[in-house]
Every structure is written in C-alpha cells, then in structure tokens.
Amino acid sequence: MEKRLPLFLFLILSFGILFGWQLLFPPPAQEERSQQTRALEQSAPGEQASALAPIPENVIQGEPWSESVVLGQAGDLGHYFVRFDSLGGTVSELSVDGWYDSGLLDDAQRSDTAHWIRLLRPMDLGAGLQGSLVMETSPSSARHFPGGLARVHWAHEWIMVSGQRVGVRFSHQATPEGYRIVKEIRTVPGALHLEVVLRIIAPQGAASEEIKAQAARFRMLPAVGLPESSEDQYYIEPKARKGFMTTDGIEVADEERRENPAPDDLVGDLSGGSTTAFVGVDSKYFAVLLRGADPISTETFKGTNWRRVQDPEWLESHPGEEASAWRGMLVDQELALAMPGPGGEMEYRYELFAGPKDEKLMLADQESFVALMEEDLGFFDGIAGLLLTILGALEGVVGNWGMAIILLTLIVRGALFPINRRSQTAMAQHTTKMKRVQPKLNAVKEQYKDNPQKLRQEQAKVMQEEGAFPPLGGCLPMFLQIPVFFGLFSALRVSFDLRQASFMWVEDLSMPDRLLRIDFNTHLPFIGTIEYLNVLPPLMVVLWIVQQRLMPKPTDEQAARMQKKMMWMPVVFGVFLYNYAGGLSLYMITSSLFGIAEYTIVRKIWPIDDSEQVRKPGKFMQRMKEMQEQQARMQKPQQQGKKQGGGRKKRR
C-alpha cells in the first residue's frame, strides 16, 4: 500500500505549513505593559506639550545652524555624508559611501552623494522635525536643563584633525550657574561607526545646594528615520532592536513595524538582560546601532523602549493611506549619567555603527553583532550560515552569485544522488512486489468487506507474510533536503551578498526577477495588482509539474487519488512564491532540472533494477517470530492445565 509523495510536494507542503502558521498566527501585540512603559505612554503628551511650550527666558541657546559635510576619505570605510543640526545637537541626515541605490551606476554617479545609501533622516515626532542622537531630559534631570534638550539650539564648533573636519562638538548650558553638557559626534578613520562622547561639566564655585554629585536620567534616540532598504514583502522592516547579555551569550529582542496599529500598540518595552550590548534600528540590509565603548559607558544603559511613528515622506507619495503610514520605528534608550560635583566633569563614550549588515564588516566592528545576524537567519541559522559560506566560496571561483547558486544546487543534489538512487531502487522493487501482492489484498478485501476489523488484521497478515511494507529509507532524501530548502530560504531572504547581485536579466537575486512592468490588476483578494512579470516562478511551476508527471504512479488506489489531487499544489505555491527572491527560484529550477534529467537521461543509461528481490527476513522480523513461538510454547501448558483443572470439584 504505497503512499509515498514526490519530494518537491513534501517540501512545498512543509513550506505551506510554515507559511500558513505565520499567516494565521502572527506575533501577538503586546497586551501587557511594564510600569515604565505605561509611564512613558502617559507622559508622552505632556512631554510633547512641554517641548512646544515657550522656552524660559533665562535659558541660554545657541544660534540656529545646519550644515552638510562629507567626512572621511573616499574609498575607505566611514566615508559619510552628514548633515548636522543645532536643534537638539543632532545628526539630521546621514548617508554612507560604498553602497548605492542602484547596482548600475558609473563612477561619476557613485561619487554623487545623492546615490549613497541614506541611513538617517529627520522625522516629525510630534513636535516638529527631529534628528538622530537627540537627547531629552527626565524628571531627575529636567531641573538641571530647564527648557529641555531636544527643542533648544545647541552651540557648535567643528572638530578639526590635521586641518580636516572630522565632526562637530555641540554644547548646551541652560543657565550660567548650571551644568553644561557637551556632545561630540565624529568619524573614526577606517571604521563603520561614529564616535559619540558625552561630557557633563559642573561650574566652578557653585552652591553645594544646587550642584552636587548625583545621578540623573536622560533619554536618547540613536536612530531616527532609517528607511526600508528592500521591497521584499517577506521581510518586514525596519525593526527596533536590543541586544542583551545572558548566561548563554547575547540574545536579541526586537519589534517590527506594523501597519494600522492599535492605539495601545504604539510603544512598548524591549526588555531582557541586565547588561545591554547594543540598541538601535535596522532594515533588511542596513543597521544603525548604539553601544557603549567601555564598561562604564555600557553600564549607563537602562530601560529601552520601542516606538512606532508615521512616515510623512512615505505618506506624501501615498496620499490617503494614513493607516499604512506607520512605517517608522524608533528606540528610546534611557541613560543613567552621574552628575559631577562642583568643578567636576564626567565623560561617557559610545559608538554608533552605521553601515551594511555585511557579516564580515559587522563582526569586524563588534563581535556582539553576530547575534543580530543569527536572529535574521531564524531557526535554520546554522544551515543557512553554512550555505552562505559555501555560496561565498563558489562565487569567489566563478565570479557570479547566480552561477554559485546553480553550482550549490548541483553539489547538494549530487551528494544526495547515491542515497536517492538507492531509495528509488527500493521503491521500484517495492512497487513490483505490490503488483504481485495486490490481488491477494483485493481478495481479502472482498472476503471481509463487512468486517472492517478483521479486514485490517488479514491485510496486515498478508503484508507481513509477503514482506510488502514500504522501505524505511524511501523518505530519507526528503528529510535530507528539507533543511537545505529552508536554510537557503532564510539565507536568500537576508543575505547582504545577494543584494544587487545580477544574473542574466535578473538585476537583484534577492528580489523577484521583474522582467517587465505590467501593472495587471487581478481584482483578486491577497493578490491585487501584479506590478511586474516575473518569469522564474512560472518556469519553476512548469518544471515542478513535469517532474511530478515523470514520477512512478502509485499502485495503491488511495495513494493514486492523493497524487492526482496534489497536482494543483505547485500552482498554489507558485503564487505564494511569485514575489520571492529570484535566487530561490533559480535554486528550485536547477533542482527540478536535475530531477527531470534523472528520470529521462540517467535512467536510460543506467536503468533501475525493479525486479522483486528474494525476501530475506531481517533480524527484527526473526526476533519477532521467535518471540511469538516462545509465547505460544508458554501458553500451551497453561491451556492444558486449565482443561485438566476444569474437571475437578472444589473441596468443602
């Protein structure tokens, strides 16, 4: 009674279960809020109101100022286009050289900062446009900085090294007799991060009642306005992240953007761990992450919150879609800074990574970022990481990621060929045996058609006598390829190496192949308008169907009906995968062509031996037979004793 399904059907069924589970059971919104989060929610309107309120007359402000500058050296890491703003002493815009908005640019276009990947931009957070690295006071620090820190203009000066600008030094002192806070933001030659230094300076000779050593808390926004870096509908971006240390290593807490969020789902905690490794926001391919540069600065990280905000820039190009405009994610990081006594000074040093999620570059900058890479790869991170390593090695040989995917597919299928061949031989021999045994099963079925229990017993007896059970290794190739499929699925979804990697007409293997723009409106739910004609997914479906038709037909009637019903499944999953990465379609197409070649070419040259083999009872079956005989011998004396005892009379 063969009930074996073709390999690719098993794979897409497995994928369907995973896809359906995520679709039907998305991550629940956080219903419970910590005391800190509820306090933030309740205080947010008041904070915005105070920010919009007139600044006290006795508050000292700098002059309004904003200027753009290119920092670093061309061709080196850390070559940034930065716009500084005195309002809040922030980085209002930041773009990074070396990665561009298109893979088809010439040298002149690559030197134009307009094509550099933009990582930060100002956003309206409820009190006007605001930039990154903005700080705001809390109740414990507000009395030292009346008027706050976010809505006042900070004084500024350029930081010069060897006659070159490397950053800006902002400073703010609310009152002549109060504390002064200094914020330095500068590039580091050859590094993909900005150095951020905070200094708290107490004035000389101040009254001890006003100035004394104590702790005060501030809030900082490391990254504002990180845009989406891909149009991949399978990867929701941007995400708010927090890496924290545990006894088992570094783990990552995150929250992704959500369209049309509920009013009570606009802010929440990123909790976990007593020591924070990094916080920030990342997209599919880029990240902006803040971390302490030394143990003392790392200890200043306290509570972390995520926040959803609307993206006015996106809404401007999508009028009337306010519900979908919640595309921005922020991280509010609480910093506990010790305030020095009279004449004292405290310094805290941080580093703001701003660059691509390239594994080598991220790990070279900070080893703790490996947790972020593993989080992106998901459950199959080990296999996905191995596949990416092999892909990288193959690309180094052939010089093209598309050819590397094809070679990887051939290597996987070639390695599994001996196992697959043995499985196919066993199944072919089983099919031959079932053709001989099937009449006996039909006779038993006819004889006991009115007694289902007896029918099952007799059918099992026939199967056992004939040794006609399906071979145990028949499904082994399926299980061996499933991890490869899902590992590659995860790897192609987030691999930075495949970004803008071209192959034939495909400009980006991490995206659909998009041969032509058609804007075809299907008027169907879940499908809607098909913007592009993708050639690879339909070709993949056709090859799946061809491969399925070449499969041996099951001898069991029930299995044959099942196989016939499953013929439509390739079309369904072709729809699901229509807008997925072209690299995955390339893998599946190559795998299907290999399978078709097995059935049409290899089998003609090297036919499979489907002759029924002489039955050799295995050790298990022999042991079962011995146990049955032993049990029968033990039961025989007992039955004879019962017969003899049955004629005796009980004594009174």
Side-chain angles (χ1 to χ4, degrees):
M1 295 186 296
E2 184 184 17
K3 297 184 180 180
R4 173 175 175 261
L5 292 178
L7 169 60
F8 79 96
L9 287 180
F10 190 88
L11 290 176
I12 60 177
L13 280 175
S14 302
F15 170 74
I17 293 172
L18 179 63
F19 182 85
W21 183 270
Q22 294 179 344
L23 185 66
L24 295 175
F25 303 101
Q30 297 187 17
E31 297 179 356
E32 297 181 357
R33 297 285 189 255
S34 68
Q35 182 177 357
Q36 177 188 4
T37 305
R38 290 194 296 269
L40 178 62
E41 291 174 334
Q42 296 169 1
S43 63
E47 289 177 356
Q48 293 177 5
S50 64
L52 293 172
I55 298 173
E57 294 182 358
N58 63 336
V59 171
I60 302 174
Q61 290 196 67
E63 295 294 327
W65 167 83
S66 181
E67 188 171 341
S68 300
V69 63
V70 175
L71 302 178
Q73 298 296 322
D76 292 343
L77 294 177
H79 192 216
Y80 292 110
F81 169 81
V82 187
R83 185 171 187 83
F84 295 101
D85 198 308
S86 63
L87 185 62
T90 64
V91 172
S92 60
E93 292 186 46
L94 184 143
S95 301
V96 60
D97 187 16
W99 298 273
Y100 311 99
D101 56 6
S102 173
L104 306 175
L105 303 179
D106 56 31
D107 291 340
Q109 291 172 320
R110 292 186 176 188
S111 63
D112 184 356
T113 59
H115 291 292
W116 296 7
I117 289 296
R118 185 169 61 163
L119 300 180
L120 300 174
R121 58 198 165 104
M123 296 186 72
D124 189 346
L125 306 183
L129 292 177
Q130 196 67 68
S132 301
L133 295 174
V134 63
M135 295 179 66
E136 189 51 277
T137 57
S138 68
S140 62
S141 58
R143 67 188 185 91
H144 301 302
F145 299 97
L149 297 172
R151 304 305 303 171
V152 297
H153 289 278
W154 294 41
H156 74 278
E157 61 178 323
W158 289 105
I159 301 174
M160 308 294 293
V161 174
S162 301
Q164 299 291 326
R165 296 175 178 178
V166 298
V168 169
R169 182 180 295 110
F170 291 107
S171 62
H172 175 65
Q173 188 172 15
T175 59
E177 66 279 3
Y179 282 102
R180 183 161 66 98
I181 184 170
V182 177
K183 183 195 303 180
E184 292 185 0
I185 306 171
R186 58 191 294 170
T187 57
V188 180
L192 272 174
H193 65 255
L194 301 175
E195 186 178 62
V196 182
V197 179
L198 296 179
R199 294 190 184 93
I200 308 294
I201 305 170
Q204 293 283 353
S208 60
E209 294 296 328
E210 296 295 330
I211 300 296
K212 58 184 179 180
Q214 57 184 324
R217 303 215 169 191
F218 301 82
R219 286 192 299 115
M220 177 183 281
L221 274 70
V224 175
L226 179 69
E228 301 173 47
S229 60
S230 171
E231 299 177 17
D232 183 3
Q233 63 181 3
Y234 291 92
Y235 189 97
I236 301 176
E237 54 179 345
K239 300 179 189 289
R241 304 275 197 167
K242 175 184 178 179
F244 55 91
M245 300 179 186
T246 68
T247 55
D248 298 326
I250 296 177
E251 297 185 9
V252 178
D254 58 48
E255 180 68 21
E256 61 190 23
R257 70 169 174 85
R258 186 170 300 166
E259 294 188 11
N260 196 21
D264 62 346
D265 192 29
L266 300 180
V267 64
D269 292 332
L270 283 176
S271 58
S274 58
T275 302
T276 300
F278 57 83
V279 296
V281 181
D282 72 317
S283 62
K284 180 177 178 179
Y285 292 128
F286 297 92
V288 181
L289 306 169
L290 182 72
R291 64 180 184 274
D294 53 58
I296 294 177
S297 302
T298 300
E299 291 177 0
T300 64
F301 285 78
K302 301 304 178 182
T304 310
N305 293 95
W306 55 263
R307 196 184 345 159
R308 308 187 198 280
V309 293
Q310 285 193 321
D311 187 344
E313 187 174 300
W314 185 89
L315 188 58
E316 184 177 351
S317 59
H318 298 78
E321 299 184 31
E322 287 78 5
S324 301
W326 295 89
R327 310 183 79 82
M329 293 296 298
L330 301 177
V331 167
D332 291 285
Q333 178 58 51
E334 186 180 38
L335 300 177
L337 306 181
M339 308 294 285
E345 178 178 332
M346 297 295 296
E347 180 178 282
Y348 305 94
R349 309 183 74 87
Y350 306 93
E351 293 176 351
L352 185 74
F353 175 86
K357 290 167 66 176
D358 179 280
E359 183 175 7
K360 293 181 180 178
L361 294 177
M362 291 195 79
L363 296 187
D365 196 84
Q366 177 57 245
E367 291 184 359
S368 62
F369 290 153
V370 68
L372 182 64
M373 310 301 292
E374 292 175 350
E375 184 74 13
D376 268 357
L377 290 176
F379 182 78
F380 293 93
D381 60 287
I383 296 175
L386 176 61
L387 291 176
L388 287 176
T389 301
I390 298 175
L391 271 177
L394 293 174
E395 192 275 337
V397 174
V398 299
N400 183 274
W401 287 100
M403 288 301 301
I405 292 175
I406 293 175
L407 289 177
L408 175 65
T409 310
L410 296 178
I411 290 173
V412 172
R413 291 302 302 263
L416 293 176
F417 178 78
I419 300 175
N420 199 28
R421 176 76 179 191
R422 184 173 181 179
S423 171
Q424 291 172 356
T425 301
M427 292 304 299
Q429 293 172 353
H430 171 69
T431 300
T432 301
K433 178 177 289 186
M434 285 301 301
K435 290 179 180 179
R436 180 180 60 79
V437 175
Q438 193 63 47
K440 295 183 179 181
L441 294 174
N442 292 338
V444 170
K445 184 177 181 180
E446 180 65 25
Q447 183 178 358
Y448 299 102
K449 60 182 179 181
D450 297 328
N451 190 343
Q453 183 176 0
K454 186 65 174 177
L455 173 61
R456 288 192 295 269
Q457 293 176 352
E458 292 299 320
Q459 284 182 330
K461 183 178 179 181
V462 172
M463 296 291 288
Q464 183 175 355
E465 291 175 350
E466 296 290 344
F469 293 105
L472 295 177
C475 297
L476 182 59
M478 300 182 191
F479 291 109
L480 291 177
Q481 290 193 61
I482 287 175
V484 176
F485 175 82
F486 284 114
L488 193 62
F489 182 90
S490 300
L492 295 180
R493 182 181 62 181
V494 298
S495 173
F496 186 83
D497 291 326
L498 293 180
R499 177 182 178 270
Q500 296 181 354
S502 61
F503 179 70
M504 298 177 67
W505 72 87
V506 185
E507 295 183 5
D508 190 339
L509 285 169
S510 68
M511 297 293 294
D513 57 281
R514 295 179 172 178
L515 179 63
L516 295 172
R517 188 179 186 96
I518 56 177
D519 288 325
F520 174 64
N521 193 342
T522 65
H523 301 286
L524 296 175
F526 303 108
I527 298 179
T529 300
I530 300 176
E531 296 186 50
Y532 295 92
L533 172 62
N534 301 327
V535 177
L536 293 181
L539 177 59
M540 176 180 65
V541 171
V542 171
L543 292 176
W544 277 352
I545 295 175
V546 172
Q547 185 180 5
Q548 184 175 3
R549 290 188 176 277
L550 291 174
M551 293 283 185
K553 297 298 184 289
T555 57
D556 180 69
E557 182 180 353
Q558 182 179 356
R561 286 198 302 267
M562 177 64 70
Q563 188 184 60
K564 187 175 181 180
K565 291 179 181 179
M566 296 298 291
M567 287 295 294
W568 55 271
M569 292 300 293
V571 178
V572 173
F573 284 97
V575 173
F576 285 148
L577 295 175
Y578 185 77
N579 286 313
Y580 198 71
L584 182 68
S585 297
L586 185 60
Y587 171 83
M588 298 303 297
I589 287 172
T590 307
S591 181
S592 295
L593 288 174
F594 189 98
I596 292 173
E598 273 191 85
Y599 283 98
T600 59
I601 301 176
V602 176
R603 287 195 176 190
K604 289 183 178 180
I605 301 174
W606 183 16
I608 287 180
D609 180 12
D610 60 353
S611 60
E612 183 178 352
Q613 302 298 302
V614 178
R615 183 187 177 192
K616 296 180 180 180
K619 294 182 179 180
F620 177 76
M621 295 301 297
Q622 290 179 344
R623 181 59 179 164
M624 287 292 295
K625 186 176 181 180
E626 291 174 359
M627 291 177 62
Q628 292 175 354
E629 293 176 351
Q630 183 179 3
Q631 185 177 7
R633 289 195 300 268
M634 293 175 62
Q635 290 178 348
K636 188 173 181 179
Q638 295 177 1
Q639 294 174 353
Q640 292 177 351
K642 289 181 179 180
K643 292 180 179 180
Q644 294 175 0
R648 298 179 182 177
K649 295 182 179 180
K650 294 182 180 180
R651 296 183 180 180
R652 296 186 180 271

